[in-house]
Amino acid sequence: MIKLKSIIENIISPENTFQMYHGGTKWYNLPEIRPAKKDRYEGGIGIYFTTNYLTARNYAKGGKVIHLTDIDRNFKDIEEVDIELNDMMNFLRLLRGLKNRSKIERDIIDYSNRVHRDMIPAEVLNNLIVNHEAGSGRVGLEIVKYFISKGIDASVDHQSGEDWLVVFNPKVIKRDTIVDSSKLNVDKYNLPKISRWLNSNPFYW
């Protein structure tokens, strides 16, 4: 179990990582992306991390644990990546079992026509998969593989009072420690929010 002193010392992470909480099952190896259930991927399909201790604790109910995890500061955010229109459309056409395929393809074409660009932000595809409830099961795992193939590691999602990180590529997880909840003051151990200049400034809060 992590000691209280260790938590205090590690709230400020090394310059190449930052810390977030995850509530869920205990990991014995590098975690894998699991198939998502319906209505359980509002930020996309991936492993969810939060800066809010209470949120993580809520997901750790039922015998699960709270992870304090070091994330590679140089992860590639989905907002930084554009994908060529034909590449994205070909991927969707070949993706077996994709729900609401025609609606998703139509919305991508409409976006391209509206902005007069053939380079589509990867975030557009992620949002459409969520909005059209098309990411559950095996399809979601294929979408994650596609994002990783484009160099995308994760997506930052700003919530009310906290930030989430949806990790597509588990390789950005550099260190993990199980938190001893009995030794934490929950009012003091919310982590700093993720800044949009996260990758360029070592003092990120």
Side-chain angles (χ1 to χ4, degrees):
M1 290 295 186
I2 188 170
K3 302 297 184 182
L4 182 59
K5 181 180 178 182
S6 298
I7 294 173
I8 293 172
E9 292 174 346
N10 289 325
I11 287 298
I12 300 177
S13 299
E15 288 189 6
N16 61 339
T17 62
F18 63 100
Q19 292 184 315
M20 298 197 78
Y21 292 117
H22 171 82
T25 56
K26 186 175 181 178
W27 301 329
Y28 295 95
N29 298 294
L30 189 68
E32 298 179 349
I33 307 298
R34 301 293 184 182
K37 298 180 181 179
K38 183 179 179 181
D39 300 326
R40 295 295 299 272
Y41 52 93
E42 60 184 284
I45 300 92
I47 304 171
Y48 280 67
F49 296 86
T50 177
T51 56
N52 189 289
Y53 174 80
L54 291 178
T55 298
R57 190 177 69 173
N58 184 57
Y59 282 96
K61 291 179 179 178
K64 298 178 181 178
V65 298
I66 300 171
H67 301 259
L68 181 64
T69 305
D70 288 60
I71 306 291
D72 187 345
R73 187 186 297 275
N74 294 312
F75 76 89
K76 178 69 74 171
D77 191 339
I78 196 170
E79 288 191 353
E80 302 174 43
V81 178
D82 292 343
I83 300 174
E84 200 275 325
L85 175 63
N86 288 336
D87 186 309
M88 187 178 290
M89 297 300 285
N90 287 337
F91 165 71
L92 293 173
R93 291 187 186 110
L94 294 173
L95 184 54
R96 294 184 295 110
L98 177 62
K99 182 180 177 182
N100 292 320
R101 182 192 312 274
S102 61
K103 293 180 180 179
I104 294 170
E105 292 177 346
R106 180 200 63 206
D107 287 347
I108 292 171
I109 294 296
D110 287 346
Y111 176 89
S112 178
N113 291 336
R114 187 168 63 254
V115 300
H116 306 291
R117 293 184 66 225
D118 287 334
M119 296 301 295
I120 310 299
E123 187 176 36
V124 169
L125 175 57
N126 193 49
N127 290 341
L128 289 174
I129 293 298
V130 172
N131 293 340
H132 289 293
E133 299 180 350
S136 58
R138 182 195 63 82
V139 169
L141 298 182
E142 294 301 317
I143 293 165
V144 167
K145 291 178 184 177
Y146 182 66
F147 286 156
I148 294 174
S149 75
K150 300 302 178 182
I152 302 166
D153 294 314
S155 173
V156 177
D157 194 346
H158 300 287
Q159 298 290 317
S160 177
E162 66 184 293
D163 283 346
W164 292 354
L165 187 71
V166 184
V167 168
F168 309 124
N169 182 5
K171 290 182 179 180
V172 302
I173 301 171
K174 297 304 180 183
R175 182 173 178 271
D176 176 67
T177 307
I178 303 302
V179 174
D180 185 346
S181 304
S182 67
K183 292 184 171 63
L184 280 182
N185 181 332
V186 297
D187 295 325
K188 294 183 179 179
Y189 288 100
N190 286 342
L191 296 169
K193 289 188 177 181
I194 302 174
S195 167
R196 281 303 174 193
W197 38 269
L198 178 66
N199 292 343
S200 60
N201 192 323
F203 302 102
Y204 58 91
W205 62 86

